[in-house]
Amino acid sequence: MITLSDGSSISKLGQGTWKMGENPRKREEEIAAVRKGIELGITMIDTAEMYGDGKTETLIGEAIVNIPREKLYLVSKVYPFHAGKDRIFKSCEDSLKRLGVDYLDLYLLHWRGRIPLSETAACMEELVERGRIKRWGVSNFDLSDMKELLAVKKGENCRVNQVLYHLGSRGIEYDLMPWQKKLGIPVMAYCPVAQGGSLRNELLNNGAVQKLAQKHNVTVVQLLLSFVLLQENVAAIPKASEEKHVLDNYQALDLRLAKEDMDILNREFPSPARKMPLDIV
């Protein structure tokens, strides 16, 4: 678990759902995967109104029927052009309706748009007051964006920043990650095994990575996920649309990489020595 700045906590491992619910032929398989994750205790589920134009939230809503609400930690995200006083309240209500619940544990601004951060923060605070969300955060914010956000009224109530992060994309380690750690704002890593990145093949086929995976008797994907899970103040939300992959992700929690293992990974995919542009998928 990771403690947030409001004293609450989130799991180190959650379920990502990007692109789920878009193919009717995979619907039952995807619902079974979500339920398998919950059965294993992976109860933090991340989604967004953008995913499948709401279809993903609807799928999750079906998957969580009859599961006690208090056992779940539901995260959704609002489009940046919906993140103002004219549309955010309807967007939130629509997400709640599709999910079949009456509140979100965490509501994120999906990426930065043209609506002033001060307005979005005020709206998020109103949603908290209305009881429609427990807390809020952002996604795809670089360090300059985070500093600007925390300078506005109630901006310090931002609890999480969800960004792309994996072994082959370590740019946030230079400045964003240590800054957030100092302030107690966790990183929620999406695409933690490069699901949506151009480096996926390079990571999966890297000889040193494959050798380490064999050493620990795990898959390369499990090794990559473990690298992210072992980072302090970082949660990971890998997508798994099949029950087997959900189980693989769960088992990655038990993998412990020794210092010499991490040294090998650092040599193959070093942490940046300078500021890097924020990777976004």
Side-chain angles (χ1 to χ4, degrees), residues 32-227:
V34 173
R35 289 176 176 166
K36 181 64 174 180
I38 295 170
E39 176 188 320
L40 291 170
I42 313 174
T43 54
M44 181 169 69
I45 304 171
D46 175 84
T47 188
E49 67 172 342
M50 184 190 82
Y51 297 170
D53 197 23
K55 291 184 179 68
T56 305
E57 289 178 325
T58 300
L59 179 136
I60 294 168
E62 187 174 340
I64 64 176
V65 167
N66 298 326
I67 295 174
R69 177 65 185 87
E70 64 274 10
K71 292 185 179 295
L72 301 169
Y73 195 101
L74 300 179
V75 184
S76 194
K77 298 182 280 292
V78 60
Y79 274 121
F81 44 85
H82 288 173
K85 58 186 177 182
D86 294 336
R87 304 190 72 171
I88 194 171
F89 303 107
K90 183 179 186 305
S91 275
C92 185
E93 292 300 324
D94 288 346
S95 288
L96 292 173
K97 184 177 180 180
R98 288 188 288 266
L99 289 164
V101 298
D102 56 8
Y103 70 91
L104 292 169
D105 296 279
L106 181 63
Y107 199 34
L108 307 179
L109 171 61
H110 207 151
W111 66 89
R112 187 169 183 180
R114 296 181 179 180
I115 293 172
L117 294 178
S118 57
E119 182 177 339
T120 298
C123 291
M124 290 290 196
E125 289 294 309
E126 185 169 340
L127 284 168
V128 173
E129 291 175 8
R130 293 184 183 186
R132 307 312 272 165
I133 66 175
K134 293 292 187 181
R135 57 198 62 81
W136 61 273
V138 294
S139 180
N140 296 305
F141 268 44
D142 207 345
L143 180 57
S144 59
D145 302 310
M146 290 298 293
K147 287 182 175 180
E148 188 175 338
L149 173 62
L150 265 64
V152 307
K153 185 177 181 181
K154 298 296 184 179
E156 71 277 6
N157 288 341
C158 171
R159 306 302 180 191
V160 167
N161 183 19
Q162 184 182 118
V163 294
L164 187 150
Y165 176 63
H166 57 73
L167 177 62
S169 179
R170 302 176 64 175
I172 64 171
E173 293 180 11
Y174 182 77
D175 55 0
L176 180 62
M177 187 186 290
W179 184 87
Q180 287 191 202
K181 180 182 175 183
K182 187 182 299 184
L183 294 181
I185 303 173
V187 167
M188 187 178 287
Y190 71 81
C191 295
V193 292
Q195 298 103 312
S198 60
L199 287 171
R200 183 169 175 82
N201 286 336
E202 183 179 345
L203 289 166
L204 294 180
N205 296 315
N206 179 273
V209 173
Q210 290 179 339
K211 189 173 181 179
L212 273 181
Q214 291 170 0
K215 170 187 171 183
H216 290 280
N217 195 30
V218 297
T219 68
V220 171
V221 169
Q222 286 176 312
L223 185 78
L224 296 177
L225 179 55
S226 178
F227 169 83

Side-chain angles (χ1 to χ4, degrees), residues 16-35:
T17 61
W18 182 37
K19 295 189 176 181
M20 292 173 67
E22 297 181 15
N23 186 340
R25 290 177 295 180
K26 295 182 177 180
R27 186 172 191 83
E28 293 305 316
E29 184 179 52
E30 291 173 341
I31 288 173
V34 173
R35 289 176 176 166

